[in-house]
Amino acid sequence: MDHLVTLVLTVLDYLIIAWDFVTYCILVPFTPLIKIFIDWFFRTQLNIKVGGDVAWDIQAYNWRCYPIGLSRGLVGVAECWMNGWITVSNLELLFTKFLENKGPLKLKYIEPGSSFLLYRVRWNWFNIQTPKRAKLFCKMSYNLGPDFFKTFLDSSLLFSVSYYGRGAANIEDSQHHKMELTAEKLQLKAGMRVLDLGCGFGGLSRYLAKNFDIQVVGVTNSSSMAAYARDICYGLPVEIREIDWREISEEKAFDRIVGIEILFHIGSHNLEAFFKKLFNLLKPNGILVTTCSV
């Protein structure tokens, strides 16, 4: 059954690509009308002006960004931005405008673009984060080697959203501040045993073990990340395990559990089992700290 679901998901992925391309081709001749409508909608419903001079306004330099954005959603918009076809002075303010919108246009509808229904089927109908597919996903997306991730991450290789709430001016400081904040929320004491779920390259595990006199068990599905994490944590009370979260067998073994942006990898179909698992792993009066980017 697992192989059948994997096949269906693969077919859906190709259908989404084909749908987006066909939709783009259909929309191209109507670009002038689409431009008029989008410019009007953004201005009247979101207070965002295309070609305006406010920080959250969008500058569009290529006509293709209209049919691409409409057909491919946020991925298409991001590619247009990378190509220099659109620019925004302040992305944070722009996304705030979208999130504050009370109308029918929500980011969850914009994100997949024209293939919205296919996305719903892919993500909502099937449990795509079974143990076997979790390993497969890591093989394709995370076993790319540290050299690749070093091109765009901080020195600790934290592959999660940065925290700029403490005045950081760069990604290095923002990720360090995030680790500081995480440690504060965990309320760590010397001698504690901490489980780091989705530990990645081991940056947070190393930081916690090095600065708070605790033992850390880091868990990841990625063989490449696990190997790197073991190297950087050598000599510290850190154990890195290349296993799925469902394979952790200890009960009431951890004083604290942390999982930074792990909920996406757990999946909505597995959340109940996930939190039951964490309840069984956590000692009485223990603390769980987990985050999820939106």
Side-chain angles (χ1 to χ4, degrees):
M1 184 63 183
D2 204 55
H3 292 292
L4 178 60
V5 173
T6 301
L7 176 61
V8 172
L9 292 172
T10 302
V11 171
L12 282 171
D13 286 339
Y14 281 106
L15 280 176
I16 289 171
I17 294 172
W19 181 276
D20 289 346
F21 177 74
V22 171
T23 305
Y24 168 77
C25 293
I26 293 173
L27 292 176
V28 166
F30 301 97
T31 299
L33 294 177
I34 295 171
K35 180 182 184 305
I36 292 172
F37 173 76
I38 290 180
D39 290 356
W40 168 82
F41 187 89
F42 276 31
R43 185 178 65 256
T44 58
Q45 302 299 314
L46 302 173
N47 192 28
I48 298 170
K49 186 177 180 181
V50 179
D53 53 7
V54 183
W56 58 74
D57 284 338
I58 301 171
Q59 311 301 321
Y61 304 107
N62 191 303
W63 62 268
R64 283 175 286 186
C65 63
Y66 288 95
I68 289 176
L70 206 58
S71 60
R72 302 192 60 201
L74 283 184
V75 172
V77 172
E79 290 183 353
C80 290
W81 178 75
M82 291 172 62
N83 290 331
W85 297 348
I86 59 173
T87 59
V88 180
S89 296
N90 193 313
L91 283 172
E92 181 181 355
L93 291 177
L94 176 65
F95 277 98
T96 300
K97 284 289 182 181
F98 276 102
L99 293 172
E100 291 177 346
N101 171 44
K102 304 300 182 181
L105 186 65
K106 305 295 183 184
L107 274 177
K108 66 178 181 179
Y109 302 126
I110 298 174
E111 181 180 1
S114 63
S115 52
F116 169 77
L117 293 178
L118 289 173
Y119 264 83
R120 295 303 103 189
V121 171
R122 189 196 192 284
W123 290 96
N124 294 348
W125 287 19
F126 302 101
N127 182 4
I128 65 174
Q129 286 102 343
T130 62
K132 287 184 179 180
R133 277 194 293 277
K135 285 282 188 181
L136 179 63
F137 180 81
C138 272
K139 183 177 181 180
M140 295 185 297
S141 303
Y142 291 102
N143 285 344
L144 301 175
D147 289 341
F148 168 74
F149 290 96
K150 285 178 181 178
T151 62
F152 60 93
L153 296 180
D154 67 312
S155 61
S156 296
L157 296 186
L158 298 179
F159 196 16
S160 53
V161 173
S162 304
Y163 178 65
Y164 285 87
R166 294 184 172 177
N170 52 62
I171 189 172
E172 191 70 27
D173 291 341
S174 66
Q175 293 289 33
H176 185 76
H177 291 171
K178 183 179 68 179
M179 290 191 290
E180 288 181 339
L181 178 63
T182 302
E184 291 170 11
K185 290 182 178 294
L186 286 169
Q187 301 177 31
L188 297 169
K189 297 178 182 178
M192 282 186 168
R193 194 164 185 246
V194 177
L195 175 62
D196 182 6
L197 291 169
C199 67
F201 289 107
L204 178 62
S205 295
R206 180 183 61 177
Y207 173 82
L208 296 178
K210 187 176 181 180
N211 293 283
F212 296 94
D213 191 22
I214 61 171
Q215 301 177 33
V216 182
V217 174
V219 172
T220 176
N221 269 317
S222 168
S223 58
S224 173
M225 289 182 169
Y228 186 88
R230 292 189 186 104
D231 286 341
I232 68 166
C233 293
Y234 181 79
L236 293 171
V238 177
E239 176 189 356
I240 302 297
R241 302 178 186 175
E242 186 191 336
I243 58 174
D244 188 79
W245 61 270
R246 284 159 282 216
E247 300 174 48
I248 307 172
S249 58
E250 297 101 322
E251 289 194 8
K252 307 302 179 185
F254 298 98
D255 301 284
R256 302 288 189 264
I257 298 177
V258 60
I260 304 300
E261 289 189 26
I262 193 175
L263 295 182
F264 168 79
H265 299 288
I266 303 304
S268 59
H269 294 270
N270 305 308
L271 286 178
E272 184 176 354
F274 175 70
F275 284 110
K276 284 182 178 179
K277 181 73 172 180
L278 298 193
F279 180 80
N280 290 329
L281 294 172
L282 200 58
K283 291 180 180 180
N285 301 314
I287 294 176
L288 162 68
V289 174
T290 186
T291 65
C292 182
S293 59
V294 294

